[in-house]
Amino acid sequence: MRFLADLSISEIEPTRKGFAQRFGQLIDLSDSINLSNVHGELRRIKFDPLDITSEAIHQEFLRVRQTAVQNIIKSFEPHRGPSTVRLSFPRVCVDDDASFEPFQRFYLAHQREIDLRVQYIQSYMRDSVSGLSPTLAKLAALDTAIGDTLAAHTHKAFAVVPKLLAKRFEHLLEEHQQGSLPLEDASFEAIKLPDQQAKPAPWLKTLRSDMQGLLLAELEVRLLPVLGLVEAVNE
């Protein structure tokens, strides 16, 4: 939220005031009943110990997080190693109707990949944590119930980000069209210099930096519940 506010594409400022009340508004009556039932069943959960260490759990979390971060960074650096997602600048002249669509597809592809990675590490963490102690087994069960309850809200919240990013795109493009670059540089196509890598126009470099920052911020937010389980293990 701070990142979006800094880009002037969101008027919502992050605050901790009234957090419990706002959080409670996400949970309706049926969700409350389900969570109450899960909470009541925690004392009857059977503990099945696993041959796994807290260090192994911690290392797997770090591995998945590092892989996700590297994938995001590499996707913005052409010819810098393998990546499942690539950002391609379409050849569109600023005099034409430049479209945010290819950048939206790129961001959505990243969101899907982040979601899959988080689902994996979350499932791994819950299964592993539940085999360390009876107390952690109860925490994993409660974490699963809360995660299921908030899944729809989470999806809805992150679906807004590409729409806000489109506003940033339009703002940068408008500034560019008003004369931020010479006419010969005014295109999405990279500018090729002798013995140098192709370089995009300055406004596209700004957009690229903004998108990368948003993706890294989104990854950190999505991993917070998993990090909570890691911290519980450490404690």
Side-chain angles (χ1 to χ4, degrees):
M1 290 175 64
R2 283 193 296 269
F3 200 106
L4 291 170
D6 289 344
L7 295 180
S8 300
I9 54 179
S10 174
E11 298 179 355
I12 301 176
E13 293 291 340
T15 177
R16 296 185 180 182
K17 294 182 179 180
F19 173 80
Q21 181 180 3
R22 289 184 287 117
F23 182 77
Q25 292 173 351
L26 299 178
I27 303 175
D28 59 21
L29 179 60
S30 61
D31 291 331
S32 298
I33 294 174
N34 291 335
L35 289 176
S36 178
N37 291 336
V38 171
H39 195 271
E41 295 171 357
L42 291 180
R43 59 180 177 272
R44 294 191 293 272
I45 287 182
K46 181 181 178 182
F47 171 60
D48 294 320
L50 296 176
D51 185 18
I52 192 170
T53 64
S54 59
E55 177 63 22
I57 292 175
H58 188 218
Q59 290 300 318
E60 180 64 6
F61 170 77
L62 292 178
R63 184 194 68 80
V64 171
R65 180 185 178 278
Q66 182 181 18
T67 300
V69 169
Q70 289 178 342
N71 186 69
I72 291 173
I73 293 175
K74 287 182 178 180
S75 68
F76 288 89
E77 299 176 355
H79 314 298
R80 294 283 184 89
S83 176
T84 57
V85 184
R86 287 288 182 190
L87 178 60
S88 299
F89 295 111
R91 296 183 179 183
V92 179
C93 238
V94 293
D95 294 332
D96 298 331
D97 293 327
S99 173
F100 178 67
E101 185 179 351
F103 300 96
Q104 182 182 41
R105 289 198 302 267
F106 170 79
Y107 198 92
L108 291 173
H110 260 305
Q111 282 189 318
R112 288 191 294 270
E113 183 167 330
I114 290 174
D115 189 49
L116 289 174
R117 292 183 187 276
V118 172
Q119 285 185 40
Y120 159 73
I121 191 60
Q122 205 159 36
S123 177
Y124 168 87
M125 195 63 60
R126 288 166 178 168
D127 292 342
S128 302
V129 164
S130 63
L132 290 180
S133 74
T135 301
L136 287 173
K138 295 177 182 179
L139 180 63
L142 188 59
D143 181 77
T144 301
I146 294 176
D148 292 343
T149 299
L150 298 178
H153 297 291
T154 301
H155 177 77
K156 182 178 179 181
F158 286 116
V160 175
V161 178
K163 299 177 183 178
L164 293 175
L165 188 60
K167 294 182 180 180
R168 179 64 170 170
F169 171 86
E170 293 168 1
H171 172 72
L172 292 173
L173 178 59
E174 182 180 0
E175 282 192 338
H176 176 65
Q177 289 174 328
Q178 289 175 352
S180 62
L181 282 179
L183 182 61
E184 61 268 18
D185 290 343
S187 78
F188 284 84
E189 187 176 5
I191 305 169
K192 296 186 185 243
L193 301 177
D195 301 323
Q196 295 185 22
Q197 287 188 341
K199 294 184 178 180
W203 77 279
L204 286 175
K205 293 176 65 176
T206 300
L207 179 67
R208 183 175 63 186
S209 176
D210 294 344
M211 293 179 70
Q212 186 181 80
L214 276 175
L215 284 167
L216 292 172
E218 181 171 330
L219 173 65
E220 292 302 310
V221 172
R222 287 177 180 261
L223 284 174
L224 282 176
V226 186
L227 180 60
L229 291 177
V230 175
E231 292 177 345
V233 171
N234 292 339
E235 292 175 4

